[in-house]
Amino acid sequence: MKQIKKAVIPAAGFGTRFLPATKATPKEMLPIVDTPTIQYIVEEALASGIEELLIISGHGKRAIEDHFDSAPTLESVLEKKGKFDLLEKVRSTADINIYYIRQRYMRGLGDAILCAKAFMGDDPFAILLGDDVVYHPQRPALRQLIDIYEQTGGASVLGCQIVPDEKVSSYGIVSGDMTDNERLMRVNDMVEKPSIEDAPSRMAVLGRYIVTPTIFPLLEQTKPGKGGEIQLTDALRVLASQEPVFAYNFEGERYDLGDKLGFLRATVEFALRRDDLGDPFRDYLRELIPKL
Ligand code: G1P
């Protein structure tokens, strides 16, 4: 069984739900408190044992590359001013081994993942979607999936959680048979963004995947599906009919950054968890509550 050392982060989308903020700024660079959302994703990948990261970039996304690059002028100014804590923060994002490729046309998530084919070669790999940020104090969501990958002897694993009825039409929904592990399901079918009537369960895929390289020929054969886009879900469905695919109900607080309310929740809760901001921000919220 090969180890999971490579990951891909698709980041080519327009981010239309956050216009006008995303007109000239990649949505992945919008901050939760003071840190771009994509940095949380990259840090989760590294904390899970990933060593080589590929970001699927696109038009107007250069700020992402600049963010994960050195910044010599800024670094020397911070050094001269003795702002070593900030210097450390600026440098920390420059040390990571990140590769980039551009998705030239927006043909959907499946097509974006197909851009990773040459980079992944014959290796199984992880996929992390930037709209899903997961907080877990000890075990990053991706690490949990990699552990399951290893326990199952190298099967594909989809990171899932149960969502409420009104949310099933926003996600890929899986169905299958539960295993001895009450968090682990063997997938036998899945459907992209079904109506509530058509949803086979409430188990939604939430932006974390481990897949075998068999996914690439399947993606190449996948025709446009929901929304006229090449859907990763459609290729995974075929994969599940050919080899074992598991859905793991991962632990952790997950925030939907594709949604404005989800973004606000993330901002408030990440701020509350911060050593430097938590207490004064909590005091402010207490003052605010009676005025609501
Ligand atoms: C994508 C996937 C969907 C998955 C979701 C998780 O949809 O197509 O299956 O459940 O991410 O966030 P998107 O939100 O990019 O439309």
Side-chain angles (χ1 to χ4, degrees), residues 7 17 47 50 62-63 74 102 107-108 113 116 128 133-134 140 162 173 180 204 219 225 227 229 237 248 253 279-280:
R17 273 176 279 185
I50 297 299
R62 284 208 191 131
L74 175 62
R102 279 179 169 234
R107 295 191 183 115
I113 301 304
L128 299 101
V133 165
V134 186
I162 308 285
I173 302 291
D180 293 343
L219 281 169
E229 297 189 337
R237 187 168 187 254
Y248 184 66
E253 188 70 38
D279 287 341

Side-chain angles (χ1 to χ4, degrees), residues 114 190 225 259:
L114 200 45
M190 52 193 300
D259 174 77

Side-chain angles (χ1 to χ4, degrees), residues 48-288:
S48 302
I50 297 299
E51 291 172 2
E52 286 180 86
L53 266 171
L54 177 69
I55 292 181
I56 310 292
S57 183
H59 296 282
K61 299 284 183 164
R62 284 208 191 131
I64 298 175
E65 291 177 44
D66 289 341
H67 182 70
F68 292 107
D69 195 356
S70 62
T73 315
L74 175 62
E75 286 173 34
S76 73
V77 168
L78 293 172
E79 203 160 12
K80 276 192 199 115
K81 290 189 172 170
K83 297 194 170 176
F84 297 110
D85 52 336
L86 291 178
L87 184 64
E88 162 104 12
K89 279 188 186 164
V90 167
R91 284 199 174 139
S92 70
T93 51
D95 287 341
I96 309 166
N97 216 2
I98 302 185
Y99 300 81
Y100 298 88
I101 190 166
R102 279 179 169 234
Q103 184 187 16
R104 291 177 184 81
Y105 298 98
M106 301 296 114
R107 295 191 183 115
L109 179 60
D111 181 63
I113 301 304
L114 200 45
C115 297
K117 186 181 174 200
F119 182 85
M120 298 306 173
D122 290 333
D123 296 325
F125 61 98
I127 303 170
L128 299 101
L129 304 188
D131 278 348
D132 299 284
V133 165
V134 186
Y135 172 78
H136 191 291
Q138 286 99 31
R139 293 177 65 223
L142 186 63
R143 184 66 241 172
Q144 297 176 43
L145 263 56
I146 294 175
D147 288 345
I148 296 294
Y149 164 85
E150 290 173 357
Q151 283 164 29
T152 57
S156 297
V157 188
L158 317 178
C160 296
Q161 285 188 341
I162 308 285
V163 296
D165 287 4
E166 66 275 14
K167 291 280 181 189
V168 293
S169 61
S170 302
Y171 300 109
I173 302 291
V174 300
S175 67
D177 304 313
M178 290 314 291
T179 66
D180 293 343
N181 177 342
E182 60 177 19
R183 292 188 162 272
L184 191 63
M185 176 193 269
R186 166 95 188 236
V187 175
N188 53 34
D189 203 3
M190 52 193 300
V191 44
E192 179 69 4
K193 303 195 175 96
S195 65
I196 183 74
E197 296 78 30
D198 295 337
S201 78
R202 302 290 176 267
M203 187 86 133
V205 185
L206 297 180
R208 298 291 181 277
Y209 312 74
I210 306 284
V211 282
T212 63
T214 315
I215 198 70
F216 291 119
L218 299 179
L219 281 169
E220 281 166 340
Q221 290 155 25
T222 301
K223 302 265 180 303
K226 190 95 186 176
E229 297 189 337
I230 297 175
Q231 296 291 351
L232 176 61
T233 298
D234 293 340
L236 287 169
R237 187 168 187 254
V238 182
L239 186 70
S241 69
Q242 296 183 357
E243 58 179 56
V245 174
F246 290 91
Y248 184 66
N249 185 351
F250 63 79
E251 294 174 47
E253 188 70 38
R254 173 256 175 191
Y255 301 91
D256 179 3
L257 303 186
D259 174 77
K260 283 173 204 169
L261 211 50
F263 206 102
L264 286 171
R265 273 188 59 218
T267 304
V268 169
E269 294 183 30
F270 275 81
L272 284 171
R273 288 189 197 108
R274 290 264 296 244
D275 290 341
D276 57 340
L277 288 168
D279 287 341
F281 189 49
R282 200 166 287 111
D283 290 345
Y284 161 70
L285 290 179
R286 284 202 187 101
E287 279 169 34
L288 190 67

Side-chain angles (χ1 to χ4, degrees), residues 27-43 67-68 89 92-93 133 257 263 266-267 270 274 276-277:
K27 69 170 174 175
E28 295 77 10
M29 292 302 294
L30 299 181
I32 298 175
V33 188
D34 54 8
T35 302
T37 58
I38 194 163
Q39 190 175 326
Y40 291 92
I41 305 290
V42 166
E43 284 171 357
H67 182 70
F68 292 107
K89 279 188 186 164
S92 70
T93 51
V133 165
L257 303 186
F263 206 102
T267 304
F270 275 81
R274 290 264 296 244
D276 57 340
L277 288 168

